[in-house]
Amino acid sequence: MPTTKTTTKPLREGATPKRAAILTAARELFLADGFDRSSVDAVAARAGVSKRTVYDYFGDKRTLLRAVVDAVGQSLVTTIRRTLDETLSDVTRDAELEEALVTFSMRIATDMLDSAEYATLRRLVGAESGHLPHRGYNPMADTPDEVIAARFAALTTAGLLDAPDPRLAADQFTALTFGVALDRLGSANAAADSRVRPLIVEGVRTFLRAYRPR
């Protein structure tokens, strides 16, 4: 019995200027016009590439949407990593820890959670969930908490925290700080709302009462 051989053309890989231009164009169109009203032809025209190039890199429009959402999520995770490095890498004394954690939380609350990138992620995931792999799809998933947990593990090793379960500590830290601001105020932008910083400061102090070595 003869068999039919099927082949699937592999997608292009790598962060090339064309790929970046396609992602930027798709993001702009998905936000302005929505997924259904944004055609691959329009994406190609805005990116300055051929329609075939869009398909070569992404295969179809749904895959392109997921790539846009994933790229925004990765950008936000990169912000968290950089902020951790800039605020907590050089902490060596217990007396420095509270202010460092407050600074980290304030920067995440204002620079990330109130950023255009974060707004883009929420809007795309919320408005286009039916076109993503599953409802509630989140490219960041557990990554931010895991990144924070890794830093808390390092602080525990250094004797500045007592966090035998760093991931649980990260979850609780997030809930106590900018999580409280978002839940209570609907925003965590300390530059626009003077009520944010006191909430974060008290959250950090509550966290340290639980996790500071005794």
Side-chain angles (χ1 to χ4, degrees), residues 149 155 198:
L155 290 170

Side-chain angles (χ1 to χ4, degrees), residues 79-90 104 151:
T79 296
I80 295 172
R81 293 184 187 276
R82 182 177 65 249
T83 306
L84 280 168
D85 288 342
E86 292 173 355
T87 58
L88 289 169
S89 287
D90 297 330
F104 167 72
R151 191 55 53 98

Side-chain angles (χ1 to χ4, degrees), residues 6 37 65 71 89-90 119 193 201 204 211:
T6 60
R37 293 188 298 276
L65 172 64
S89 287
D90 297 330
D193 192 335
V201 170
V204 168
Y211 283 102

Side-chain angles (χ1 to χ4, degrees), residues 36-56:
D36 290 327
R37 293 188 298 276
S38 300
S39 67
V40 174
D41 286 314
V43 171
R46 180 167 293 210
V49 301
S50 69
K51 183 176 179 179
R52 173 49 53 195
T53 299
V54 176
Y55 284 121
D56 284 347

Side-chain angles (χ1 to χ4, degrees), residues 33-169:
D33 301 331
F35 177 84
D36 290 327
R37 293 188 298 276
S38 300
S39 67
V40 174
D41 286 314
V43 171
R46 180 167 293 210
V49 301
S50 69
K51 183 176 179 179
R52 173 49 53 195
T53 299
V54 176
Y55 284 121
D56 284 347
Y57 276 104
F58 298 101
D60 56 56
K61 197 167 69 162
R62 284 177 181 262
T63 302
L64 176 56
L65 172 64
R66 178 175 178 176
V68 169
V69 171
D70 287 349
V72 176
Q74 184 55 53
S75 173
L76 293 171
V77 171
T78 298
T79 296
I80 295 172
R81 293 184 187 276
R82 182 177 65 249
T83 306
L84 280 168
D85 288 342
E86 292 173 355
T87 58
L88 289 169
S89 287
D90 297 330
V91 176
T92 58
R93 298 185 299 115
D94 177 76
E96 302 169 334
L97 187 56
E98 179 180 319
E99 186 55 35
L101 289 171
V102 169
T103 300
F104 167 72
S105 299
M106 290 284 287
R107 285 187 52 183
I108 291 297
T110 300
D111 297 348
M112 193 194 90
L113 296 179
D114 202 58
S115 68
E117 290 288 281
Y118 187 71
T120 293
L121 181 66
R122 292 188 64 183
R123 183 173 170 188
L124 288 177
V125 169
E128 311 298 352
S129 60
H131 302 296
L132 291 167
H134 56 79
R135 188 167 295 279
Y137 179 75
N138 181 357
M140 297 177 73
D142 296 330
T143 304
D145 295 317
E146 291 170 354
V147 171
I148 296 171
R151 191 55 53 98
F152 284 177
L155 290 170
T156 296
T157 299
L160 296 176
L161 289 179
D162 180 12
D165 185 341
R167 175 56 196 274
L168 176 60

